[in-house]
Amino acid sequence: MKKQNNHPLEGRKLYIPRMSTGAARAMAAAFQALGVDAQVSPESDAETLALAAGVTTGEECLPQRVVLGNFMKVMQAPDFDPSKTAFFLPTSAGPCRFGQYAPFLRKYLRDRGLEEVVVFSPTSSDQYGGMAEHVGRLMRTGFRAIVASDILRKCLYMFRPYEKIPGSADRIHDEGLDRICGILSDGSQPLKEQLIGLVQELVMFRDRIADLPLREPRGSRPLIGVVGEIFLRFNSYSNQQIVRRIENAGGEVWIADFAEWVWYTRHEVERKLRESGKRFSPGMAAAKYRRRVQHADEKTLLAPFRDLFRDRQECPVDRVLKYSEPYLPAQKALGEMTLNAGKTVAYYHAGCDGVADISPFTCMNGIVTEAIYPVISRDHDDFPARIFYFDGVPADLDTDLEIFMELVRGYRQKCKIKEQRIKNEE
Ligand code: SF4
């Protein structure tokens, strides 16, 4: 594909927020395929939060402070040039603070005379920020980037707790990610060839990780479903490396993937069209077409993992929402709270031994689900489900985790005894 001209990103470096490093790198590669000089925003650390603290009021949620602080790091670099910089910041009109990220950043820039910096928040109403010409390819490649990085992460978490040589699963994951990004960033490839190339790389990755020498059999550890606020779930700095800590405490993690949010937003678009009497409308036809195309891409990318993911099938989003119905009905309680409640039930049915919900302190989603989990737990054999709050302040997470893991082990033992009793009765 030829490099595009006269769009707002021409001649600029576009910084992608580092939600998960894998997904952010893959998304940057999707932009690179359009000729955009995209790269992932800097790693988060104490400086990130210190910078954000200087300009925020304390009302902002942790993800907003992390994203802002990392963009501020870019602006503090000696070679920062506002006329050559853009920040990627998707937006939403929803009730949570996510919709405030971009306006807040714009105000920050305005107050400092840095209006030349582009805050790139593409929506259909602004012709996708001047990128309308390539939006089809960007959305297609971007979704493939999300699915491919979800697959790599899922495999990493399935194998890493059992690896014989410390670091070997991470190495295979990182090399697989490099190769996937290489394909995604190649704008000369037609979309069909891109998909074939991605599948070939994923097959090679699968074979390498499945060959990893293990020190204990896979599946011998308690399986912890991880749900929660999407940024925090994937940003290991913000969640104090919770996945590693669960692994260090003897567990294995199955994290709700990134694509789940894409399917949820698709589901919501169609629901709103139906409820506004547009069941048969061009908008609905376009929404259904997009869903079918993305579904086909996802199916193709997942096909080589049919066997490996036999006991890691993602619950379709409409079933997740059905599961949440008795607790937080999707028509009344929007967003992550309903997804996380439903996903907890889905993890119970999928054979997990417990669920950890990762939530920013003061986020409404976590506050609501925390109140709901005891009821879900009571309705599902005392399935352990608990929330872990984060606010950027190092806390003694290990003690809390150890208590949670004790509950999980007790539940697992109880399930084994029940299984054995059923077998004996047969
Ligand atoms: S869901 Fe909560 S933490 Fe995430 S952006 Fe919204 S308010 Fe912030």
Side-chain angles (χ1 to χ4, degrees), residues 137-209:
R137 181 169 177 118
L138 183 60
M139 285 176 92
R140 197 91 189 261
T141 307
F143 182 68
R144 290 173 180 179
I146 287 171
V147 175
S149 58
D150 276 346
I151 291 173
L152 299 184
R153 187 190 317 105
K154 186 182 274 196
C155 289
L156 174 66
Y157 293 171
M158 284 170 73
F159 284 87
R160 187 168 68 189
Y162 306 101
E163 68 189 1
K164 194 176 233 163
I165 305 158
S168 51
D170 276 298
R171 201 190 59 249
I172 293 172
H173 169 272
D174 293 352
E175 287 167 4
L177 182 63
D178 284 346
R179 297 174 75 91
I180 293 291
C181 289
I183 304 232
L184 290 167
S185 64
D186 181 358
S188 67
Q189 290 268 21
L191 284 168
K192 194 172 166 196
E193 271 70 38
Q194 181 195 68
L195 190 59
I196 294 169
L198 286 173
V199 170
Q200 284 168 348
E201 288 301 341
L202 285 171
V203 167
M204 269 193 278
F205 164 78
R206 177 202 64 193
D207 294 346
R208 287 191 70 203
I209 202 143

Side-chain angles (χ1 to χ4, degrees), residues 61 63 96-98 101 229 336 360 363-365:
C61 53
C96 98
R97 283 171 271 198
F98 181 60
Y101 287 22
E229 200 273 339
E336 287 180 324
C363 175
M364 184 177 58
N365 288 298

